[in-house]
Amino acid sequence: MPSVNGTDLNAKRAQVAAQVKCDILTATQDADNDAQRISIGRSFISDTITAPTTEMYAYALKASVGDDVYHEATTSAFEAHMAQLTGKEAALFFSSGTQSNQIALRTHLTQPPYAVLCDERAHINQYEAGGTAFHSGAHQVGVQPSNGHHLTLEDVESRIVLSEDVHVSPTRIISLENTLNGTIFPQDEIIRISKFAHSNGVKMHLDGARLWHVAAETGTSVKELCEPFDSVSLCFSKGLGAPVGTILVGNAEFIRKAKWFRKLFGGGMRQIGVLTASCAYALNNHFPLLPAVHALAQRIEQGLVDLGAVIWSSAETCMVFYDPSPLGLEYGEIADRGAALPRPLILGGSRLVVHIQTSTEAAEDFLELIKTLAEEKKAAGFVYVKPAKNVNGARSIYVRRKSKV
Ligand SMILES: Cc1ncc(COP(=O)(O)O)c(C=O)c1O
């Protein structure tokens, strides 16, 4: 029997094992998950909140159990499929869209000084913690689209820097986003920008976190949508409902270097077959659900229009942005009253997001809530006076745009 200072070593080991132990599942875990799934169906705050299904996990459990740093089989097969689907030479799996976007930019940018040009509303410009400056030391130029919807070649030309003058930071990448706020970037405009960029030696990156929605809505192949770009990042944990995962695609040399940066940034993956199999399940089973998601978003938009709310940004895919002030309503009171319903609705501000687990009933309950609140305001004497200018200077889109690529 081993002993240390007269104390039994096995007893000490057992003590440490007891300290290390971690019982994180609640006694009511299954019921908690069921409740969570119901609440997700009544939440309009994001499509990242979708819950993995038992069917998805059953499929994922059959995945290979290898270590991806040593080329795990399920992940390699998934990456090969994604390269083929997008028409690129190679693909690499990432834990998040932010990681994939940032490593894509870092991989393209080689010799400073350099700049990245993007839509000022883009995720890389607003919501990646200033990552482009931090990881790549790059100047990022956010351009406001003159039509309020998507960047045009003329917008790009007005801000791109092609000069080699020592005072400037030359644009090396144009990074576009499709969809952006749920709106579809017209493909002919993307091609115009891409031709111009490539003729000037500028790389094209696409944050296609929700490119699936464009393909599903317009019937355009993923390959065609990716064609104008040198690199594309596509997420599985948003509209497609996988728990984790983003793929980055590009040419073989680009992906080889991106994999190096992924390792350098601590993103080397191990037994991730369960994750990539979940993403494959999402492609097989959830992608076909997207047209119905878009139809539900359009139903909400039409309901809001019928009630007299203003639509800021139309439901071209899964999101609609609205302004309830013509009804005398504010976002805060709508969210509070939604949360107080016997079957609560979870609402944020102007953005309503529909996802594959949103219940149709929740959409109708939301419209009913707006109707009730508007009637209460009217009864209390509220009369809408149209402001001279658009509310908040919003770039309003009052008429639903037909989805067009
Ligand atoms: C357009 C877009 N790109 C990138 C991301 C980042 O993805 P992640 O949250 O996985 O880092 C998001 C997140 O919602 C997004 O909406």
Side-chain angles (χ1 to χ4, degrees):
M1 180 83 56
S3 89
V4 177
N5 296 335
T7 314
D8 175 35
L9 180 57
N10 283 341
K12 287 191 132 209
R13 285 171 174 162
Q15 219 175 17
V16 174
Q19 288 162 0
V20 167
K21 248 177 144 172
C22 170
D23 200 1
I24 50 172
L25 301 185
T26 67
T28 54
Q29 192 67 62
D30 286 343
D32 295 350
N33 286 350
D34 289 345
Q36 175 79 10
R37 287 201 166 92
I38 290 170
S39 125
I40 285 164
R42 298 182 65 79
S43 173
F44 293 90
I45 57 166
S46 180
D47 53 0
T48 56
I49 59 164
T50 48
T53 61
T54 46
E55 293 82 4
M56 175 184 274
Y57 277 164
Y59 181 85
L61 280 178
K62 294 184 190 152
S64 124
V65 291
D67 179 341
D68 187 54
V69 170
Y70 302 103
H71 308 294
E72 184 276 303
T74 298
T75 300
S76 298
F78 183 67
E79 288 172 342
H81 172 72
M82 285 307 304
Q84 184 263 329
L85 178 70
T86 56
K88 303 297 183 201
E89 287 175 7
L92 185 64
F93 187 75
F94 285 87
S95 63
S96 74
T98 302
Q99 192 188 38
S100 172
N101 277 335
Q102 288 301 323
I103 289 184
L105 299 178
R106 184 65 196 84
T107 306
H108 283 306
L109 294 168
T110 50
Q111 184 62 51
Y114 37 50
V116 176
L117 186 151
C118 61
D119 191 307
E120 51 122 8
R121 304 163 301 168
H123 198 273
I124 63 160
N125 200 42
Q126 300 269 354
Y127 307 112
E128 296 190 4
T132 314
F134 185 83
H135 296 298
S136 299
H139 177 47
Q140 192 158 270
V141 178
V143 181
Q144 198 166 340
S146 51
N147 58 23
H149 185 264
H150 59 272
L151 289 179
T152 61
L153 174 58
E154 290 68 28
D155 294 332
V156 168
E157 281 174 329
S158 73
R159 297 297 300 280
I160 198 166
V161 175
L162 298 171
S163 160
E164 296 286 324
D165 183 281
V166 291
H167 295 90
V168 301
S169 175
T171 308
R172 299 289 184 225
I173 303 174
I174 295 172
S175 180
L176 304 182
E177 190 172 306
N178 197 13
T179 63
L180 192 156
N181 288 344
T183 63
I184 297 175
F185 205 134
Q187 190 71 4
D188 49 5
E189 196 61 41
I190 290 177
I191 292 169
R192 286 180 80 214
I193 295 171
S194 170
K195 282 188 176 150
F196 169 74
H198 287 145
S199 67
N200 285 288
V202 174
K203 299 282 186 203
M204 290 284 290
H205 173 70
L206 176 66
D207 178 351
R210 295 182 182 80
L211 193 65
W212 308 112
H213 298 265
V214 184
E217 181 64 21
T218 64
T220 312
S221 74
V222 175
K223 180 169 184 259
E224 187 179 336
L225 294 171
C226 293
E227 212 281 321
F229 296 94
D230 299 288
S231 57
V232 183
S233 171
L234 300 110
C235 290
F236 302 96
S237 63
K238 298 171 181 72
L240 292 188
V244 167
T246 298
I247 204 89
L248 178 65
V249 296
N251 71 30
E253 177 53 21
F254 171 81
I255 291 297
R256 188 188 70 80
K257 199 68 197 285
K259 193 167 190 174
W260 207 339
F261 277 120
R262 189 184 70 171
K263 183 72 181 161
L264 175 65
F265 290 142
M269 302 281 195
R270 298 296 182 182
Q271 285 75 13
I272 54 166
V274 284
L275 297 182
T276 45
S278 296
C279 296
Y281 180 92
L283 285 178
N284 299 339
N285 297 279
H286 294 171
F287 177 76
L289 305 177
L290 293 180
V293 167
H294 303 166
L296 191 56
Q298 287 155 16
R299 157 74 191 124
I300 293 173
E301 173 175 335
Q302 191 55 55
L304 285 167
V305 169
D306 293 346
L307 289 169
V310 164
I311 302 302
W312 284 23
S313 181
S314 199
E316 295 180 21
T317 59
C318 65
M319 297 180 196
V320 56
F321 289 69
Y322 78 114
D323 173 7
S325 61
L327 304 170
L329 302 176
E330 289 177 4
Y331 299 118
E333 64 182 319
I334 296 171
D336 290 347
R337 288 286 292 271
L341 288 172
R343 301 183 61 223
L345 289 170
I346 304 167
L347 297 158
S350 61
R351 186 177 87 154
L352 299 166
V353 185
V354 177
H355 53 75
I356 53 170
Q357 290 165 342
T358 308
S359 82
T360 310
E361 193 189 27
E364 296 305 329
D365 288 353
F366 167 71
L367 292 172
E368 194 56 38
L369 173 70
I370 299 292
K371 185 167 172 249
T372 305
L373 291 176
E375 282 167 1
E376 285 175 14
K377 291 286 172 182
K378 209 170 169 185
F382 174 79
V383 179
Y384 178 57
V385 181
K386 201 170 186 211
K389 282 189 163 187
N390 286 346
V391 196
N392 301 333
R395 299 180 292 276
S396 305
I397 301 160
Y398 293 97
V399 182
R400 216 180 87 65
R401 224 186 320 271
K402 275 270 159 264
S403 301
K404 174 174 168 289
V405 160

